[in-house]
Amino acid sequence: MEKQYNLSKNQKIILNLIVKSTEPLKAYSILYNVQKKGIKAPLQVYRALDKLVEIGKIHKIESRNAFIACQNSSCQISKATAFSICESCEKVSEISNSKLSKYLSNFTDEAGMKYNKYNLEFFGLCKKCKTS
Amino acid sequence: MEKQYNLSKNQKIILNLIVKSTEPLKAYSILYNVQKKGIKAPLQVYRALDKLVEIGKIHKIESRNAFIACQNSSCQISKATAFSICESCEKVSEISNSKLSKYLSNFTDEAGMKYNKYNLEFFGLCKKCKTS
DNA sequence: CTTATAAATGTTATATTATTACATAATGTT
DNA sequence: AACATTATGTAATAATATAACATTTATAAG
């Protein structure tokens, strides 16, 4: 059974914006976009972002300091994330590949250590940018 | 044949500091540590860091905004990086696992796309932190 | 339903990370 | 030597993120 979260007002506003966006959003760009809705300060944005990341509704693209909505139906996979990033147009997609996630979730290093979380970012050129 | 790079004065100073460090260093911490050697401004640090990353002598730990020396003898693998990060003590190690790097370098997504670069960060508890 | 607790908010100030712009100097190439 | 490339120096500022504190709202326990 999936745990239910009742998102707060700010969390809903910000999640909505991110879900509607076709590209990763940066914190201050989010701020500018929600100021008319009463969210005035960076901290209000960062707090909502932190929570949304924590519950897996969004992910942070670390190399870009930007946030995208989780593409997985269940949004439970905040501990095992993989993205493809186009180095030309900056398009970002979440990769859902069960083989990959199994491989990485089960990965054991030389010292026999397993990890409870990972984040993987692939870089290259997307179809569009490759042909143009 | 491996390309030779003649590092500049600032690049050498900063690489040296990072190589000697047992933990990832942040840009401004580097700055404070090299001010006595005449490097006075953030930009001087960032420029050297950019170059060192580019040629594979160091790597940026994206989730920490910090830099560590490359652990691979040849330092040629700046396009395929994997790290383990302890969420308690923040110890970071570079993972050199040929199976893993092969798997990821050959990874093809659902659309048949391959990537020329990736960065992977594993999170967990290191041995020390797990037992204490 | 009211008390206790946890979670979220609002606000100001500030810390941290990174880049722009412009002038100059050193190095490498032909 | 002339040219191009790379690196440096310096000042200013942009972009990203957190600390500290007061208050309010939601949730859970009795």
Side-chain angles (χ1 to χ4, degrees):
Chain A
M1 198 60 167
E2 185 171 337
K3 184 167 177 195
Q4 273 299 121
Y5 286 97
N6 297 314
L7 297 182
S8 73
K9 179 171 141 278
N10 289 0
Q11 288 159 10
K12 276 181 201 157
I13 292 172
I14 287 172
L15 177 57
N16 246 288
L17 185 71
I18 296 173
V19 165
K20 273 186 270 168
S21 171
T22 59
E23 53 178 15
L25 295 179
K26 297 184 154 242
Y28 276 73
S29 136
I30 292 170
L31 177 59
Y32 299 137
N33 275 287
V34 297
Q35 277 179 330
K36 52 200 165 210
K37 301 210 171 173
I39 297 176
K40 290 174 194 159
L43 191 47
Q44 295 174 286
V45 172
Y46 281 105
R47 283 197 284 222
L49 289 173
D50 284 352
K51 185 68 184 184
L52 292 169
V53 165
E54 185 193 325
I55 65 178
K57 292 288 185 188
I58 64 173
H59 304 299
K60 182 172 187 181
I61 309 300
E62 293 286 356
S63 65
R64 300 298 187 259
N65 297 319
F67 300 83
I68 66 169
C70 180
Q71 301 302 315
N72 293 297
S73 48
S74 70
C75 286
Q76 288 292 289
I77 318 185
S78 60
K79 298 201 160 181
T81 49
F83 306 96
S84 77
I85 303 172
C86 177
E87 288 182 303
S88 172
C89 72
E90 292 294 324
K91 177 176 152 62
V92 173
S93 312
E94 186 167 358
I95 295 173
S96 344
N97 181 301
S98 58
K99 270 189 194 169
L100 176 66
S101 62
K102 264 178 206 159
Y103 183 86
L104 292 176
S105 298
N106 292 324
F107 177 78
T108 311
D109 71 16
E110 325 286 84
M113 178 174 167
K114 279 199 161 196
Y115 300 91
N116 59 44
K117 201 172 139 194
Y118 68 79
N119 179 55
L120 170 59
E121 298 183 359
F122 281 108
F123 303 91
L125 292 178
C126 72
K127 244 182 206 173
K128 257 191 195 169
C129 291
K130 200 172 278 173
T131 58
S132 66
Chain B
M1 199 60 167
E2 186 172 335
K3 185 168 176 193
Q4 273 300 120
Y5 286 98
N6 296 315
L7 297 182
S8 73
K9 178 173 141 274
N10 288 359
Q11 289 159 11
K12 277 181 203 158
I13 292 171
I14 287 172
L15 176 57
N16 244 288
L17 185 70
I18 296 173
V19 166
K20 273 186 270 167
S21 172
T22 59
E23 54 178 15
L25 294 179
K26 297 185 154 239
Y28 276 72
S29 135
I30 292 169
L31 176 58
Y32 299 137
N33 274 287
V34 297
Q35 278 180 329
K36 53 200 163 208
K37 301 212 171 172
I39 296 176
K40 290 173 193 160
L43 189 48
Q44 296 174 286
V45 173
Y46 280 106
R47 284 198 285 223
L49 289 173
D50 284 352
K51 186 65 183 185
L52 292 170
V53 165
E54 185 195 325
I55 65 178
K57 291 290 184 187
I58 64 172
H59 305 299
K60 181 172 187 181
I61 308 301
E62 293 287 355
S63 65
R64 300 298 187 259
N65 298 319
F67 300 84
I68 65 167
C70 178
Q71 300 302 317
N72 293 297
S73 49
S74 70
C75 286
Q76 287 293 288
I77 318 185
S78 60
K79 297 200 159 182
T81 49
F83 306 96
S84 77
I85 302 172
C86 176
E87 288 182 302
S88 173
C89 72
E90 293 294 324
K91 177 176 152 62
V92 173
S93 313
E94 186 166 0
I95 296 173
S96 346
N97 180 301
S98 59
K99 272 190 192 169
L100 176 67
S101 61
K102 266 180 204 159
Y103 184 87
L104 292 176
S105 297
N106 292 324
F107 178 77
T108 311
D109 71 15
E110 326 283 83
M113 177 172 168
K114 277 197 163 196
Y115 301 91
N116 59 45
K117 199 174 138 191
Y118 68 79
N119 179 54
L120 171 59
E121 297 182 359
F122 281 108
F123 303 90
L125 291 179
C126 73
K127 243 183 206 172
K128 256 191 195 167
C129 292
K130 199 172 276 171
T131 57
S132 64

